Amino acid sequence: MKTAPLISLALLPIVAQGAETQDTVRRPNIILFMVDDMGWQDTSLPFWTERTPFNDTYETPNMERLARQGMMFTQAYASAISSPTRCSLLTGANAARHRVTNWTLHRNQSTDASSDVLEFPQWNVNGICQVPGIEQTYCATSFVQLLKEHGYHTIHCGKAHFGAIDTPGENPAHFGFEVNIAGHAAGGLASYLGEQNFGNRTDGGAQSPFAIPGLEKYHGKDIFATEALTLEAIRALDKAKRYGQPFFLYMAHYAIHIPVDKDMRFYAKYLDKGLDPREAAYAALIEGMDKSLGDLMDWLEAHGEAERTIILFMSDNGGFSCGSKWRGGTLHTHNAPLKSGKGSAYEGGIREPMIVSWPGQVKPQTRCDDYLIIEDFFPSILEMAGIENDKIAQPIDGRSFVPLLTGKGQNPSDGRALFWNCPNLWDGSGPGVGPSCTIREGDWKLIYYYETGKKELFNLSEDIGETHECSASCPERVIALSEKLSTYLRGVDAQRPSFKATGKPCPWPDEKK
């Protein structure tokens, strides 16, 4: 079977020589703008072949602005849950390899929901780590550390969610970030509201682990967390400008994760559009995130940095779709035409909005329909920065998508399959949520459910909504994809659940139950 080759960073092309002394050509600035829980349809920018009612509901003018400057990716993938995505981003390893396959929070504590049938594996509940010897972690070198070592000033702003509380991985500074604004172990937030101190208690009561740290100067003020983080990011950019170094800013918003607090800057507008209060609050969350993107783009233009700054826009998993009856009382439909949402193996859980602007390298107003996955950001960003380094702790599963941006070199999607493994039970709900593993190769996608042994096959080019399951009519394709998926999972020493009744592991997709 052909799988994605492990990339030696020593083979990555270097753009600027002599980086450790004096670059003759300054490396580009890089901003990675990561949104939390943003669905493929949570934008006025259509990533499908046609506009949908959602594209006409939400207003994201700065996403549209960024797309005019660069390339939209219509088939960009992540994991269905936050921690696996963010750990793959930082390490370049597929989640099946790094084994952070559910969301992390407390040291040595699993977040799996309970099952009467399955026993879940001892996955890496403590996340990723930069040092060996920490139990239930994946030890890896982050691409941020490599950027720092090659002259970048590195800034983290917002959500981290790389490692559990009281492990080294909880602190972004341990992964090479010189500045950490509000990043800690939690993957969500207690409150967006400055009036509520972003969830921080002042009465001596028990503190929520989801209270945002580091924004004390805004406590008690009428300000939304998205805006406070943006102001702090701009302060950090002002400092970076004075340093004269190339900078890397990881702008990782807590938006648009729940709670759906009201961003009053935009809330009334959506009420006037006829949305109900919760929908209006959700739309305001989206537009507040988009304003942040625009504010950063404005800063680049005002400070003469726009032409030498790469901007990458991405989300960490699909849009949240459980817990409330949105879309006229129908659950799990607000990512339509994609099926289901966050936590699901269906497209609504893993397909993300992605845009890349790279002045002088990426043709403006272009679209790419080739697929890629979150671990590809690791080698891609290093190649963009002109950095080669093979002194890393882990193999790299990702492939650089720079050829897709520039049109030069081999297409990384050619002959490639994408893989997902979630041997866990997320604590949400919805179609496709459950212990499963998945392969996509070409237009075909196979989902295998560990508990039942059920397999679902879809042709995404003909059925983006995954409404026509066709395993019965394509048995040979099911067999071939099952074999490729199983071979890959065995090859990276992936985990699987076991049956409580027998203690035996669930079969791989190419085995009989």
Side-chain angles (χ1 to χ4, degrees), residues 107 127-141 168-169 174-175 393:
R107 184 165 184 156
I128 57 174
C129 196
Q130 80 289 358
V131 293
I134 308 299
E135 73 276 12
Q136 290 186 270
T137 65
Y138 181 76
C139 181
T141 302
H174 294 159
F175 293 107

Side-chain angles (χ1 to χ4, degrees), residues 259-278:
V260 187
D261 290 331
K262 298 180 178 67
D263 188 336
M264 300 306 294
R265 296 173 297 170
F266 309 104
Y267 177 63
K269 173 200 294 188
Y270 292 99
L271 288 178
D272 291 343
K273 280 189 171 187
L275 275 65
D276 69 38
R278 184 172 174 85

Side-chain angles (χ1 to χ4, degrees), residues 219-484:
H219 286 187
K221 296 184 179 180
D222 180 14
I223 190 169
F224 210 71
T226 309
E227 179 71 1
L229 290 171
T230 305
L231 293 174
E232 290 304 295
I234 289 174
R235 284 169 56 88
L237 290 179
D238 287 338
K239 189 72 169 180
K241 176 71 174 177
R242 293 193 289 272
Y243 284 160
Q245 296 173 252
F247 61 77
F248 172 70
L249 168 62
Y250 180 47
M251 186 71 233
H253 274 294
Y254 286 97
I256 53 179
H257 195 284
I258 57 171
V260 187
D261 290 331
K262 298 180 178 67
D263 188 336
M264 300 306 294
R265 296 173 297 170
F266 309 104
Y267 177 63
K269 173 200 294 188
Y270 292 99
L271 288 178
D272 291 343
K273 280 189 171 187
L275 275 65
D276 69 38
R278 184 172 174 85
E279 286 282 6
Y282 186 72
L285 269 179
I286 293 171
E287 188 163 353
M289 172 278 301
D290 183 80
K291 178 185 180 296
S292 173
L293 175 64
D295 289 346
L296 295 179
M297 295 173 72
D298 290 345
W299 185 93
L300 293 173
E301 292 177 1
H303 291 81
E305 297 289 344
E307 290 304 309
R308 57 182 179 188
T309 301
I310 300 166
I311 304 176
L312 304 101
F313 182 103
M314 186 62 171
S315 173
D316 66 344
N317 49 249
F320 188 71
S321 66
C322 64
S324 63
K325 292 188 176 182
W326 295 357
R327 301 281 88 88
T330 304
L331 278 168
H332 312 304
T333 60
H334 78 276
N335 293 302
L338 304 185
K339 187 173 183 177
S340 196
K342 178 179 180 178
S344 172
Y346 292 126
E347 293 292 284
I350 57 176
R351 192 184 290 213
E352 318 304 336
M354 176 179 166
I355 313 167
V356 178
S357 170
W358 187 2
Q361 295 290 334
V362 175
K363 185 178 179 181
Q365 301 186 64
T366 50
R367 293 169 65 100
C368 179
D369 296 323
D370 293 297
Y371 54 59
L372 55 86
I373 195 166
I374 190 64
E375 54 260 33
D376 296 344
F377 278 70
F378 185 112
S380 303
I381 289 174
L382 291 177
E383 183 171 351
M384 290 172 174
I387 292 173
E388 59 176 355
N389 193 320
D390 58 359
K391 296 178 181 178
I392 56 174
Q394 73 278 7
I396 304 302
D397 295 307
R399 295 186 182 185
S400 173
F401 53 73
V402 168
L404 299 179
L405 295 168
T406 63
K408 301 174 184 177
Q410 183 177 355
N411 187 327
S413 298
D414 288 348
R416 182 190 192 186
L418 304 181
F419 302 96
W420 293 262
N421 189 45
C422 182
N424 311 81
L425 185 57
W426 181 56
D427 58 347
S429 63
V433 172
S436 66
C437 54
T438 304
I439 179 174
R440 176 169 179 187
E441 185 176 50
D443 293 332
W444 293 93
K445 177 180 173 184
L446 179 79
I447 305 173
Y448 170 77
Y449 297 95
Y450 284 112
E451 181 174 334
T452 63
K454 180 182 179 181
K455 298 175 183 178
E456 295 182 328
L457 180 69
F458 303 99
N459 185 319
L460 295 179
S461 65
E462 299 175 357
D463 179 26
I464 195 172
E466 295 169 292
T467 58
H468 304 294
E469 200 283 307
C470 49
S471 59
S473 60
C474 303
E476 293 182 356
R477 192 172 297 277
V478 171
I479 292 171
L481 291 177
S482 296
E483 290 177 349
K484 287 188 177 183

Side-chain angles (χ1 to χ4, degrees), residues 27-48:
R27 301 181 191 274
N29 305 316
I30 302 172
I31 296 177
L32 174 52
F33 194 97
M34 178 69 75
V35 189
D36 194 11
D37 287 7
M38 182 180 184
W40 198 61
Q41 287 287 348
D42 290 336
T43 172
S44 56
L45 184 66
F47 285 82
W48 196 25

